[in-house]
């Protein structure tokens, strides 16, 4: 199952019997590799059964998640210069033309337009876009059509 060697389990038993009087069934155990950790209750720190070998650093994942969400939201913000602008960048959407500051290919917008979707419905499908973006994508794709030459 977790492949913790019997020799290691014996060490765990020795450490726990020295430190913990209550039944071990009250503990929560964690296994990382072949190392065993335990916690007395949900509010207590996680402890190692191998003192000196492993240090446990606690951190609040909720706090990290909040910081990451802020960073992602900031990265998603588009400048007014980007709105309505078509660009092409290496390693973004397979080098296809996209609306600047997004990964939305102009060809995808054109397909909705060609299928008869109104501009407002296209924005509903891509909420990060504006009507100006949709117009720019349609104009760009229209200029690429063979009959436009």
């Amino acid at each position: 199952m977790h492949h913790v060697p019997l020799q290691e389990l014996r060490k765990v038993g020795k450490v726990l019997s020295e430190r913990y009087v209550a039944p071990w069934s009250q503990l929560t155990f964690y296994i990382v590799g072949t190392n065993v950790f335990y916690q007395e209750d949900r509010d207590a720190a996680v402890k190692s059964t191998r003192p000196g070998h492993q240090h446990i650093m606690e951190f609040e994942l909720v706090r990290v998640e909040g910081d990451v969400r802020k960073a992602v939201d900031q990265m998603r913000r588009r400048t007014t210069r980007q709105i309505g602008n078509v660009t092409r960048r290496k390693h973004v959407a397979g080098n296809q033309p996209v609306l600047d500051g997004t990964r939305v290919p102009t060809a995808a917008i054109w397909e909705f337009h060609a299928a008869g979707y109104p501009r407002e419905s296209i924005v509903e499908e891509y909420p990060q876009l504006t009507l100006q973006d949709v117009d720019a994508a349609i104009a760009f794709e229209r200029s690429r059509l063979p009959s436009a030459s």
Side-chain angles (χ1 to χ4, degrees), residues 38-140:
Y38 68 98
Q39 187 175 25
E40 294 176 22
D41 60 54
R42 288 185 166 258
D43 297 327
V46 176
K47 298 176 183 174
S48 174
T49 58
R50 302 177 95 199
H53 290 92
Q54 196 80 27
H55 295 284
I56 299 166
M57 183 178 86
E58 291 186 32
F59 62 94
E60 293 180 40
L61 195 53
V62 171
R63 190 168 152 196
V64 172
E65 178 190 17
D67 292 346
V68 170
R69 283 189 190 278
K70 276 186 207 169
V72 167
D73 287 343
Q74 191 171 12
M75 288 173 59
R76 283 186 177 155
R77 285 195 200 112
R78 297 170 65 207
T79 65
T80 53
R81 186 184 57 71
Q82 290 175 308
I83 294 173
N85 191 26
V86 175
T87 187
R88 188 180 236 162
R89 293 219 172 100
K90 222 179 200 181
H91 310 297
V92 175
N95 203 31
Q96 297 178 62
V98 296
L99 290 157
D100 201 1
T102 75
R103 293 178 167 268
V104 179
T106 56
I109 303 304
W110 177 259
E111 287 177 22
F112 277 105
H113 171 71
Y117 280 74
R119 296 167 47 226
E120 293 78 10
S121 295
I122 297 172
V123 170
E124 284 179 24
E125 294 295 323
Y126 295 97
Q128 73 270 35
L129 301 183
T130 65
L131 292 174
Q132 191 178 349
D133 289 320
V134 173
D135 291 341
I138 292 170
F140 178 81

Side-chain angles (χ1 to χ4, degrees), residues 1-5 8-9 12-13 16 24-50 54-59:
M1 185 151 143
H2 293 289
H3 306 291
V4 178
E8 182 67 21
L9 292 175
V12 168
L16 290 177
W24 296 354
S25 61
Q26 294 178 10
L27 301 175
T28 302
F29 290 93
Y30 304 94
I31 298 172
V32 179
T34 59
N35 296 323
V36 179
F37 300 89
Y38 68 98
Q39 187 175 25
E40 294 176 22
D41 60 54
R42 288 185 166 258
D43 297 327
V46 176
K47 298 176 183 174
S48 174
T49 58
R50 302 177 95 199
Q54 196 80 27
H55 295 284
I56 299 166
M57 183 178 86
E58 291 186 32
F59 62 94

